[in-house]
Amino acid sequence: MPHRNGGAPGVLCASMKKSTYLFRGLAGVLLAANLFLNSGCFLVAVAAVAGAAAGTVAYVDGKLETTLGHRYESVVSATNSAITQLGFAKPEEHKDELTDTLTTHTAKGNQVAIVLTKDGDASTKVSIRVDTMGDKEISQTILDKIKANL
């Protein structure tokens, strides 16, 4: 007995199954894309890219990090001036043409580690950590003083 579509039985069902799987796969991809675009991860990724261009300050895992649009040598000089102006102990300094690591202490004895890294001709990465766990307020004060000296 012929099938309703005039063909062999099962032909229509097989093609319907194929398009159902295709539709479900497409729906899954669209759902995943929607979730990603509406999730915080996507927004953080976009903000990170936009922020990197704007010199955004990030405080992550006890470390304050930013990129300043100034020459490496200028930032090194501004950082040394900031340490003196804040009344910190004379820093121990390890410097070469690409990186300067300064370690000092506040009057209260908090250890401060500042790492300056050349990031092109007119850009310098700055990383500041106070003690092992970090102190956002002191780190921000140091960064503000560095910026004021530029």
Side-chain angles (χ1 to χ4, degrees), residues 1-11:
M1 175 187 282
H3 196 265
R4 278 189 243 167
N5 68 354
V11 172

Side-chain angles (χ1 to χ4, degrees), residues 83 89-95 100-105 112 114:
I83 289 170
K90 182 177 172 155
E92 180 181 317
E93 189 171 11
H94 299 282
K95 182 180 178 205
D100 189 5
T101 302
L102 299 107
T103 306
T104 185
H105 291 84
V112 178
I114 304 171

Side-chain angles (χ1 to χ4, degrees), residues 71-115:
R71 297 179 60 80
Y72 171 70
E73 296 79 11
S74 299
V75 177
V76 169
S77 177
T79 301
N80 279 302
S81 294
I83 289 170
T84 302
Q85 292 163 349
L86 291 167
F88 293 171
K90 182 177 172 155
E92 180 181 317
E93 189 171 11
H94 299 282
K95 182 180 178 205
D96 60 31
E97 294 298 315
L98 301 174
T99 304
D100 189 5
T101 302
L102 299 107
T103 306
T104 185
H105 291 84
T106 67
K108 290 184 178 180
N110 303 93
Q111 181 176 338
V112 178
I114 304 171
V115 179

Side-chain angles (χ1 to χ4, degrees), residues 3 16 28 34 38 46-47 53 61 65 67 74 99 114-117 119 127 132 139 148:
H3 196 265
M16 283 178 55
N34 186 34
N38 289 318
V46 169
D61 294 330
E65 296 182 329
T67 300
S74 299
T99 304
I114 304 171
V115 179
L116 309 172
T117 307
D119 188 35
S127 172
T132 305
S139 297

Side-chain angles (χ1 to χ4, degrees), residues 7-145:
V11 172
L12 183 60
C13 292
S15 69
M16 283 178 55
K17 283 182 185 179
K18 195 175 199 179
S19 37
T20 300
Y21 288 129
L22 196 61
F23 177 75
R24 285 184 184 169
L26 180 60
V29 168
L30 291 175
L31 179 63
N34 186 34
L35 289 173
F36 176 73
L37 291 174
N38 289 318
S39 74
C41 293
F42 177 73
L43 298 176
V44 167
V46 169
V49 170
T56 299
V57 176
Y59 188 78
V60 180
D61 294 330
K63 190 186 307 181
L64 185 139
E65 296 182 329
T66 191
T67 300
L68 300 175
H70 294 275
R71 297 179 60 80
Y72 171 70
E73 296 79 11
S74 299
V75 177
V76 169
S77 177
T79 301
N80 279 302
S81 294
I83 289 170
T84 302
Q85 292 163 349
L86 291 167
F88 293 171
K90 182 177 172 155
E92 180 181 317
E93 189 171 11
H94 299 282
K95 182 180 178 205
D96 60 31
E97 294 298 315
L98 301 174
T99 304
D100 189 5
T101 302
L102 299 107
T103 306
T104 185
H105 291 84
T106 67
K108 290 184 178 180
N110 303 93
Q111 181 176 338
V112 178
I114 304 171
V115 179
L116 309 172
T117 307
K118 186 174 184 174
D119 188 35
D121 290 336
S123 183
T124 305
K125 290 182 182 179
V126 179
S127 172
I128 303 169
R129 180 186 291 278
V130 178
D131 288 331
T132 305
M133 300 304 288
D135 185 314
K136 186 175 182 180
E137 187 177 328
I138 294 173
S139 297
Q140 187 63 54
T141 300
I142 296 166
L143 178 61
D144 292 343
K145 189 59 84 172

